Amino acid sequence: MPEESIENIDFDKLNETAISQPLVKNIYTADPSAHVFNGKIYIYPSHDIESGIPFDDLGSHFAMQDYHVISMDGIHSEAVDNGVALHVDDVPWAEKQMWAPDAAHKDGKYYIYFPARDYDGIFKIGVAVGDAPEGPFTPRPEAIKGSYSIDPAVFEDEDGSYYMYFGGIWGGQLQKYRNNTYDKSNEMPEPEEVALLPIVAKLTDDMLEFAEEPKEVQILDADGELLLEADNDRRFFEASWIHKYDGKYYFSYSTGDTHFICYAIGDNPYGPFTYTGRILNPVVGWTSHHSLCEVEGKWYLFYHDSSLSKGVTHLRSVKVAEITYNPDGSIVTLDPYLKE
């Protein structure tokens, strides 16, 4: 539900029919990356603040400065805000805009991956390391070599390999890159051209760098053709996530300006992935960003909306709802405001 359509919303009625309620209300949170570590649910969201920065298409008003980790003993348990886990002031290379993060665990260490603008105004992706899922995290002095754009999502495959997916257009700057090279003269493709694609790179064994040159993740239609820029109900915009279900890899993402969470299915962590459908219809607020996590044999969608702030796009709240799969492996689309 984009911002321009919220003026006549009855938020009390909307919240009554919503499929879920905000997990925490003491702060605004968004872009939730959820994981189960040591039998507990840990959510790594953005921390929204009121910055007073004017709205623009580059997302300057999303001026987040730190990360809080949210934990839950179980899916129906109270969500606990564990306080500041990492602040931009602690990151030597980062100036501002601590946008959507993700986390991973390996060999007793926990890693939080995050995008931020450096002092030249360019988004890069950093990593910080901690001894506990809730932090605190100590950042590496430099961004990951070869990283760019936003929205890192780290996937652990069954063979112990870890892959980072990233990228986002408009404010996320992905349109400025071709073949991993920045050129400020680059712009969005024309409507009839192939849409920009998300990026993937395998991580090194120490989880701190890319083990290879980043490569594009192909998202295809049913005929095996790449989606076009004009197909903005289906093409990638931002918010990569990947999970595995019944032997298949599910790559999900936001369509941005059309406000859908969509997914595509493939046989390999590198893709290609074939567009399959929508996971979530539009929420209140301009952005939509999510993760999917299995908890005790059931699958859940962690997402956000702006209902708690009564439609303020940059003041969002994290929610969770169960998802179900059809026998053919497709996901039943959720409407966020139609409680059964």
Side-chain angles (χ1 to χ4, degrees), residues 135-156:
F137 295 94
T138 301
R140 302 282 290 175
E142 302 289 341
I144 295 173
K145 292 188 293 290
S147 70
Y148 56 93
S149 196
I150 61 169
D151 292 356
V154 174
F155 169 69
E156 179 186 1

Side-chain angles (χ1 to χ4, degrees), residues 219-227 231 234 273-275:
I219 304 173
L220 310 177
D221 64 18
D223 297 321
E225 300 294 329
L226 290 166
L227 299 180
D231 190 359
R234 299 193 299 173
F273 298 94
T274 300
Y275 178 89

Side-chain angles (χ1 to χ4, degrees), residues 243 250 263 278-279 292 323-326 328-333:
H243 74 284
Y250 286 63
Y263 69 105
R278 297 173 184 168
I279 301 175
L292 292 113
I323 63 165
T324 55
Y325 296 84
N326 293 308
D328 64 357
S330 60
I331 298 172
V332 177
T333 305

Side-chain angles (χ1 to χ4, degrees), residues 23 41 72-78 293 295-296 300 302 320-321:
L23 291 179
I41 304 164
M72 302 171 68
D73 289 333
I75 200 67
H76 301 296
S77 302
E78 179 184 2
C293 185
V295 182
E296 297 183 346
Y300 295 89
F302 292 78
V320 61

Side-chain angles (χ1 to χ4, degrees), residues 6 35 41 43 49-50 58 71 76 114 120-121 145 147 172 174 191 198 205 211 223 249 262 275 281 297 307 314-315:
I6 66 171
H35 297 270
I41 304 164
I43 306 163
I49 59 173
E50 181 55 84
L58 297 181
S71 61
H76 301 296
F114 59 94
D120 293 321
K145 292 188 293 290
S147 70
L174 185 61
D205 288 342
D223 297 321
Y249 296 86
C262 294
Y275 178 89
N281 283 330
S307 59
H314 61 286
L315 297 179

Side-chain angles (χ1 to χ4, degrees), residues 177-189:
Y177 290 83
R178 300 293 186 274
N179 298 315
N180 301 320
T181 301
Y182 179 89
D183 185 334
K184 65 180 181 180
S185 68
N186 287 333
E187 296 296 346
M188 294 292 297

